[in-house]
Amino acid sequence: MQTQTHTHHLQLVAGPCSAESEAQITACAQALRDIGGLVFRAGLWKPRTTPGTFQGVGEKGIPWLLRAERETGLMAATEVATPEHLRLCLDAGLRCFWIGARTTANPIMVQELADLTASRPSAVSRLYVKNPVNPDIELWIGAIERFRKAGLTDIAAVHRGFSTTQAGEYRNAPLWSIPIELRRRMPDLPILCDASHIAGKRALIPGLARQAVQLGFDGLMLEVHPDPETALSDAQQQLTPNEYHRLIASIDIPTQALPDRELTELRQQIDEIDAALWQLVLERQQAASRIGIYKRRKGLPVLQTERYAKQLEARLRWAREHGLPPETARQIMQALHEAAVLKQLTES
Ligand code: PEP
Ligand code: MN
């Protein structure tokens, strides 16, 4: 564990999934206090999927977070899911919040929270907006814009993965292309990775956190609990403070360098491959169009399920044999097939 206070180059948010008791909050914040600039998180109102599970301690935990702030100098953050939550916290003096994945998916609630923020200028110091549970970047951007319009300037996005049928080993599918697209659309917006909620299991957290930092994310939101085994929510995905300190200390942060000759040449190779690839995609579409004309002439339906299933199967097998991620192969095949089908429906 660190002995000296130091400010990390990443934006760090860490703390338990839920505030459970004053002792747990105090112990956890003390264990993290050495990392200057860290924001201490703890959920008070828990938007749990299943009724009957621990729903959070609610308002009762606000003084615990204020005490943690006083005693450690860290800023505390909690999730607000309704204007009432936000009002209670602001009246008590909390300043930092996150919008949970289920709330981001609800524009009416987001707008009500934004309106309250606008009516209390400067009361909110920083806001984290998690991605919506469903893979819809417009909802994510829309929520961020609603808070920007309300006058908030210190906003960061938090990538916590998406509920899909293709999450594989993860609790929530990372779908990296969505935060990558967010970076393209809002280049100045800091993006943090909540590897805990993507992973769902402790063992997968370090790998995901490293990937996010390598990718160029600005920080990490991670769940840390003094005794994860006994946690009342998300027990499988919380790190001990020691595990957290070890992970953070071991992460290398890439530096942003200007492209040199070597990189320019390597990129040239990619550009040439892409040019050939796009030419082939164009030729594939032209071939699809000729088939479309044939199908129309013979009165055949555009969708030939059996042929498509065979093609997809063959590509997935080929991908596995050649070490290409099957998920990538599936996405490419699906996109090519969809483009061909649309071509046959609309143009042939
Ligand atoms: C949480 O941060 O504990 C939480 C409930 O997250 P999410 O909204 O990402 O599910
Ligand atoms: Mn959680």
Side-chain angles (χ1 to χ4, degrees), residues 23-310:
Q24 171 241 18
I25 287 298
T26 306
C28 197
Q30 289 293 349
L32 296 168
R33 71 181 300 168
D34 297 333
I35 305 181
L38 180 137
V39 171
F40 178 67
R41 62 149 283 159
L44 298 175
W45 297 275
K46 301 305 296 178
R48 305 299 300 284
T49 303
T50 315
T53 52
F54 178 63
Q55 307 287 303
V57 296
E59 188 181 351
K60 185 172 87 180
I62 295 176
W64 309 345
L65 296 185
L66 291 168
R67 177 178 161 197
E69 285 193 335
R70 270 197 317 277
E71 290 183 356
T72 63
L74 303 176
M75 185 157 71
T78 197
E79 172 172 349
V80 285
T82 68
E84 180 63 5
H85 297 163
L86 181 57
R87 199 183 52 71
L88 286 166
C89 290
L90 290 178
D91 287 349
L94 286 173
R95 301 155 289 155
C96 183
F97 307 96
W98 78 85
I99 304 299
R102 291 156 192 81
T103 306
T104 306
N106 178 351
I108 292 182
M109 199 45 70
V110 169
Q111 190 57 52
E112 286 188 16
L113 286 159
D115 290 345
L116 178 55
T117 307
S119 75
R120 309 270 292 251
S122 337
V124 176
S125 307
R126 185 178 301 165
L127 184 75
Y128 301 98
V129 181
K130 291 202 176 195
N131 65 255
V133 272
N134 52 325
D136 182 341
I137 192 172
E138 302 306 334
L139 273 176
W140 200 2
I141 290 175
I144 293 161
E145 281 175 348
R146 286 176 201 272
F147 285 107
R148 279 194 173 164
K149 288 199 170 112
L152 277 190
T153 49
D154 194 347
I155 301 180
V158 178
H159 169 228
R160 51 76 81 198
F162 300 89
S163 286
T164 73
T165 50
Q166 288 166 14
E169 59 184 335
Y170 300 115
R171 177 181 180 191
N172 290 295
L175 306 184
W176 295 103
S177 61
I178 295 182
I180 289 171
E181 176 63 8
L182 180 67
R183 169 60 38 100
R184 191 185 71 82
R185 299 261 298 265
M186 301 181 124
D188 300 324
L189 177 78
I191 307 179
L192 279 60
C193 178
D194 175 346
S196 305
H197 285 89
I198 297 176
K201 333 178 185 41
R202 231 176 319 283
L204 298 177
I205 294 170
L208 278 165
R210 283 203 180 84
Q211 283 177 9
V213 174
Q214 281 304 116
L215 205 55
F217 276 52
D218 305 277
L220 298 167
M221 177 186 276
L222 294 175
E223 289 188 334
V224 178
H225 191 289
D227 184 12
E229 306 298 327
T230 65
L232 298 179
S233 59
D234 290 350
Q236 303 304 312
Q237 65 182 38
Q238 306 205 54
L239 302 173
T240 65
N242 274 331
E243 287 167 340
Y244 178 74
H245 282 292
R246 271 201 299 276
L247 171 61
I248 293 303
S250 73
I251 288 183
D252 290 323
I253 304 169
T255 51
Q256 190 65 262
L258 289 176
D260 60 3
R261 248 216 12 241
E262 192 180 345
L263 182 58
T264 308
E265 279 171 17
L266 290 168
R267 282 180 171 164
Q268 228 157 21
Q269 294 174 19
I270 286 282
D271 289 348
E272 282 164 23
I273 292 168
D274 280 356
L277 212 54
W278 285 111
Q279 182 59 35
L280 283 174
V281 171
L282 183 64
E283 289 173 24
R284 191 185 197 282
Q285 282 293 86
Q286 288 160 351
S289 171
R290 288 192 290 276
I291 292 175
I293 292 166
Y294 171 88
K295 284 175 181 166
R296 190 161 297 181
R297 187 153 40 88
K298 298 279 183 175
L300 295 171
V302 163
L303 184 57
Q304 299 285 327
T305 314
E306 214 172 297
R307 155 121 177 117
Y308 174 52
K310 273 197 191 127

